[in-house]
Amino acid sequence: MFIRLIRTDFKRIRYLLLPLFLCTAVLGASFAALAAFTEKVIYQDSSPEPVRVGVVMSIDSEYGKLAYHFVTEMESYQNTCEFVTLESEEAGREMLQKEQLQAVIVVPDNILSDIIDGTNTPVTVLYREDGSLETYAANEVFVSTSSMLGTSQAAIYTALKLGRNLELSPDLQARVNTEVNTLFFNYVLTRTALFDKTEVHATGLYPVRDFYIAAGFLLLLSMLGILFLSLLKNNAAAYIKKLKLSGISAVQAGISQWLTITATLYGIYLLLYTVAVIVSSAVSTHFLSFHTMALPAGLPVCACIALITVLIGKIPVSQAAASMILLIVVFLLAYTGGCLVPEALLPAFLKPVCTYSPYYHMIQLLCNSMF
Amino acid sequence: MFRAESIYKSYGKKQILTDVSLSVTKGTCLGLLGLNGSGKSTLLNILAGCIRADAGRCYFENGKGKIAFLPQENPLIEELTCMDNIRLWYRGKRKDIFHEKNKTLFTALGVDAFINERVKNLSGGMKKRLSLAITMMEEPDLLLLDEPLAALDLLCKNGILTFLKKWLTEGGSIILATHETAALDICTDIYSLHNGIVTPVFTGKQGTRPCREQEYMDILLQKQENSYVYPTDQNRF
């Protein structure tokens, strides 16, 4: 009888397929649009602009080229600055006044040879008077880098001085000189990455768009639960009575409904995922790539949503009231689970309970498997 | 023979059934009359095993027998076809669903004419006939019917009564709760249920029933003498 009941529940679902597909299409399109523009709709696009820095130096000389190359390739500078080569200090000052630059570095031609020789040659840095936060950050980078280069320079000079004090032969001193300079180029300058660039998202490990694509899947499947309420609610008392007389308890009937809804939701999930991957490969943004793990990951998610739906369907209220309750419960669980607003942005009192929401684990599972 | 002995049932402080005893033998139909809320449906539910009595017992004297219950409301899934509904409740193999016995049953109740229709498109009478067919597929020894003729037209009522009459002659037993005097035509025994107490109105042959409205009211209110026997062909209402 239980198998016949499951088969019958599937037959009943058959009549829900059209509204299910229509709802999936409408909600899917809405959530996809929302996810695509989430960063601009929900979060302001506030990526900091790089600090425009003018560099005045002679890049004609071999050492000048090398110095310019090292400075511009330093990760610390790459992450914070945009370099513009200038012909003269005057041109730099003029651009500073016109607010086209935020800083100008005047590098002496002989900077590298001076470093190697142990000569303390200052590098001049000019700032705009109305120094902004970015200017301040750039200054910190310059100071830190100068400090590091100064220390390195002292170390090189010490090594060379040591060679002279030990009265090494000129050949040996020349060899030490070359070795130390090689070490300086290879190991010191490459380690001046004072500021590593790490992207930190409010949505945790995943970029905002990826996170909300997974959230869209989750919310869409949850909302489809409303359609399944007709399967749970449109049962005459006589039907339930007859099931009982046939040896089917309310729990068994619930299990049959849960299995049916889970299977249907999973079918929709697979379809939706396939369509999303195909659309993604067709457009330039490639918002979703195919991952095998995303296929099984949908099953526990669908099972959990189906369970919530069935449990709410068992509340002895009308179908309309159950729909409202389902919407409210889904909203609350999704909100507290950091599905609507990321966990990091939740109010402090909700953060401790975040992990207790099934939606927290479902969104993590989907994100882990989809991206 | 099926017996129910000393059935008691209460909901909270309200006593619904008090020391109810009755019995039905093969080929007999027991009609239960009573006002709304008198406990007829509760009694049928207890006999069917849907709800538990506070005290008392029900049993077949020979130790085995099958009870089928058709509640007042149809136990059908509206969005499915009649065939889907039949498949759900048919306990045999799927391929045997149209064996001779079932075919005869469907034909007798006229279900075969609309077997592929969706239930929600059927009339009340069609739904009742389908429900009865589904219930009869269980091949019961005792059939419990709660208001089987409620809200049906005359033709449908006659169809169902004819079917039930025939089934009684084949050795079936029926307990039916009804407000319809027409349904009493097939009853061999009539009991009235008032204030939780069952009183036999008469036990006689089929076709005997109250004939005047006042007499019917008297039965419902248990004002009549228990030995009262009503003539069959006079002043029917």
Side-chain angles (χ1 to χ4, degrees):
Chain A
M1 179 66 202
F2 186 61
I3 301 295
R4 285 207 305 275
L5 181 62
I6 293 175
R7 203 182 290 146
T8 306
D9 281 341
F10 270 114
K11 282 179 190 166
R12 296 179 73 178
I13 294 273
R14 200 175 54 192
Y15 293 101
L16 289 175
L17 286 181
L18 184 63
L20 275 171
F21 284 135
L22 285 176
C23 283
T24 305
V26 172
L27 288 174
S30 311
F31 285 140
L34 205 59
F37 299 106
T38 313
E39 282 178 88
K40 288 185 179 168
V41 173
I42 300 178
Y43 304 98
Q44 283 187 338
D45 192 0
S46 59
S47 303
E49 291 291 322
V51 179
R52 278 172 64 85
V53 178
V55 181
V56 183
M57 67 186 305
S58 168
I59 55 170
D60 296 333
S61 69
E62 197 63 29
Y63 279 141
K65 278 182 187 170
L66 201 59
Y68 183 75
H69 172 75
F70 275 123
V71 170
T72 53
E73 286 300 308
M74 280 181 198
E75 209 169 332
S76 309
Y77 289 121
Q78 272 193 337
N79 291 335
T80 51
C81 304
E82 181 189 343
F83 288 103
V84 181
T85 49
L86 300 172
E87 288 178 358
S88 64
E89 190 178 327
E90 285 68 35
R93 285 180 186 276
E94 197 178 329
M95 287 179 81
L96 271 178
Q97 278 177 352
K98 289 179 182 173
E99 298 186 359
Q100 290 168 338
L101 295 173
Q102 279 151 311
V104 173
I105 305 174
V106 183
V107 185
D109 290 347
N110 51 348
I111 181 80
L112 273 188
S113 55
D114 286 354
I115 289 171
I116 292 165
D117 295 344
T119 311
N120 191 8
T121 308
V123 173
T124 309
V125 181
L126 307 170
Y127 293 109
R128 246 180 30 213
E129 283 179 0
D130 55 338
S132 61
L133 190 62
E134 285 84 0
T135 317
Y136 177 79
N139 184 44
E140 286 301 304
V141 175
F142 298 149
V143 170
S144 306
T145 313
S146 307
S147 165
M148 191 178 219
L149 290 175
T151 310
S152 305
Q153 183 190 3
I156 291 166
Y157 187 71
T158 305
L160 297 178
K161 182 80 178 169
L162 188 65
R164 281 196 286 273
N165 289 351
L166 292 175
E167 295 178 351
L168 298 177
S169 65
D171 286 350
L172 213 51
Q173 278 192 37
R175 200 173 145 195
V176 168
N177 193 2
T178 311
E179 289 289 324
V180 166
N181 283 332
T182 309
L183 287 171
F184 172 72
F185 286 129
N186 290 341
Y187 294 101
V188 176
L189 283 181
T190 55
R191 291 190 181 191
T192 50
L194 296 173
F195 293 92
D196 282 335
K197 187 178 180 181
T198 306
E199 287 192 12
V200 179
H201 308 287
T203 45
L205 293 171
Y206 305 97
V208 174
R209 193 185 64 185
D210 292 356
F211 179 86
Y212 278 103
I213 286 173
F217 268 79
L218 197 52
L219 290 174
L220 188 149
L221 292 170
S222 301
M223 287 185 176
L224 290 183
I226 292 173
L227 291 174
F228 291 109
L229 285 175
S230 67
L231 171 76
L232 303 167
K233 289 303 209 181
N234 291 347
N235 294 316
Y239 168 75
I240 294 162
K241 203 176 277 181
K242 200 160 175 61
L243 278 181
K244 194 178 170 187
L245 287 173
S246 304
I248 297 292
S249 65
V251 174
Q252 283 174 307
I255 290 171
S256 167
Q257 290 161 338
W258 174 66
L259 288 173
T260 317
I261 295 172
T262 300
T264 312
L265 278 178
Y266 187 54
I268 291 169
Y269 167 81
L270 292 180
L271 184 73
L272 199 62
Y273 182 68
T274 311
V275 170
V277 169
I278 292 169
V279 171
S280 169
S281 62
V283 297
S284 57
T285 47
H286 295 295
F287 55 87
L288 189 64
S289 307
F290 178 78
H291 288 102
T292 318
M293 283 311 291
L295 302 181
L299 195 55
V301 168
C302 293
C304 188
I305 292 170
L307 184 65
I308 293 168
T309 310
V310 170
L311 289 177
I312 288 170
K314 293 290 173 193
I315 299 172
V317 291
S318 69
Q319 189 180 335
S323 302
M324 283 304 297
I325 293 172
L326 182 67
L327 270 181
I328 291 167
V329 168
V330 164
F331 175 79
L332 286 177
L333 288 177
Y335 181 73
T336 52
C339 201
L340 301 176
V341 176
E343 184 190 357
L345 302 181
L346 282 176
F349 71 95
L350 276 179
K351 284 181 184 173
V353 297
C354 184
T355 52
Y356 294 106
S357 167
Y359 277 74
Y360 174 83
H361 300 283
M362 286 196 278
I363 190 84
Q364 294 300 326
L365 181 63
L366 282 184
C367 282
N368 283 337
S369 58
M370 280 182 169
F371 304 104
Chain B
M1 178 186 272
F2 175 81
R3 280 185 188 282
E5 290 177 352
S6 302
I7 307 279
Y8 287 83
K9 180 69 186 176
S10 61
Y11 289 121
K13 287 181 180 174
K14 191 180 179 189
Q15 192 68 33
I16 306 295
L17 300 172
T18 309
D19 195 19
V20 172
S21 297
L22 42 85
S23 63
V24 273
T25 53
K26 274 191 170 182
T28 62
C29 175
L30 189 152
L32 269 176
L33 298 177
L35 297 172
N36 288 334
S38 60
K40 300 186 298 297
S41 296
T42 305
L43 179 58
L44 288 184
N45 275 292
I46 289 171
L47 299 180
C50 291
I51 53 176
R52 197 184 286 268
D54 298 336
R57 63 182 192 140
C58 315
Y59 59 95
F60 282 94
E61 268 190 348
N62 62 358
K64 57 176 182 181
K66 206 186 284 179
I67 299 175
F69 178 36
L70 178 58
Q72 187 173 353
E73 203 184 344
N74 293 313
L76 303 171
I77 302 170
E78 294 275 323
E79 65 264 34
L80 296 185
T81 63
C82 302
M83 196 61 218
D84 289 332
N85 276 279
I86 289 169
R87 282 202 182 109
L88 170 63
W89 301 113
Y90 181 60
R91 286 167 189 265
K93 290 178 183 169
R94 279 166 74 87
K95 61 178 181 178
D96 295 338
I97 210 157
F98 282 112
H99 68 61
E100 203 51 44
K101 227 171 188 176
N102 281 350
K103 255 187 194 170
T104 315
L105 177 66
F106 297 152
T107 311
L109 284 166
V111 172
D112 51 352
F114 52 84
I115 202 156
N116 291 316
E117 295 279 327
R118 282 174 77 174
V119 172
K120 70 175 181 183
N121 298 332
L122 301 183
S123 67
M126 287 165 159
K127 285 179 188 173
K128 186 56 82 180
R129 280 187 280 157
L130 176 64
S131 303
L132 185 58
I134 286 171
T135 310
M136 292 304 293
M137 276 195 319
E138 297 173 32
E139 298 181 18
D141 299 296
L142 172 64
L143 183 61
L144 305 175
L145 301 171
D146 193 359
E147 302 284 359
L149 305 182
L152 298 184
D153 63 35
L154 205 58
L155 203 65
C156 192
K157 278 178 190 174
N158 283 338
I160 289 176
L161 286 176
T162 309
F163 173 81
L164 292 175
K165 257 183 199 172
K166 187 169 176 291
W167 187 66
L168 283 171
T169 60
E170 290 165 1
S173 321
I174 299 173
I175 298 178
L176 70 86
T178 187
H179 292 295
E180 295 277 337
T181 51
L184 299 177
D185 270 350
I186 62 164
C187 295
T188 47
D189 307 272
I190 295 180
Y191 284 64
S192 81
L193 187 55
H194 187 68
N195 291 334
I197 298 165
V198 162
T199 314
V201 178
F202 70 87
T203 53
K205 64 173 188 177
Q206 208 172 47
T208 312
R209 64 174 192 173
C211 33
R212 287 192 299 275
E213 216 163 312
Q214 187 54 51
E215 289 167 351
Y216 187 64
M217 282 299 292
D218 286 348
I219 291 171
L220 295 180
L221 300 170
Q222 294 192 358
K223 287 179 181 172
Q224 79 296 333
E225 295 291 327
N226 284 351
S227 57
Y228 209 89
V229 175
Y230 297 94
T232 56
D233 298 324
Q234 296 174 18
N235 308 321
R236 290 193 169 178
F237 56 90

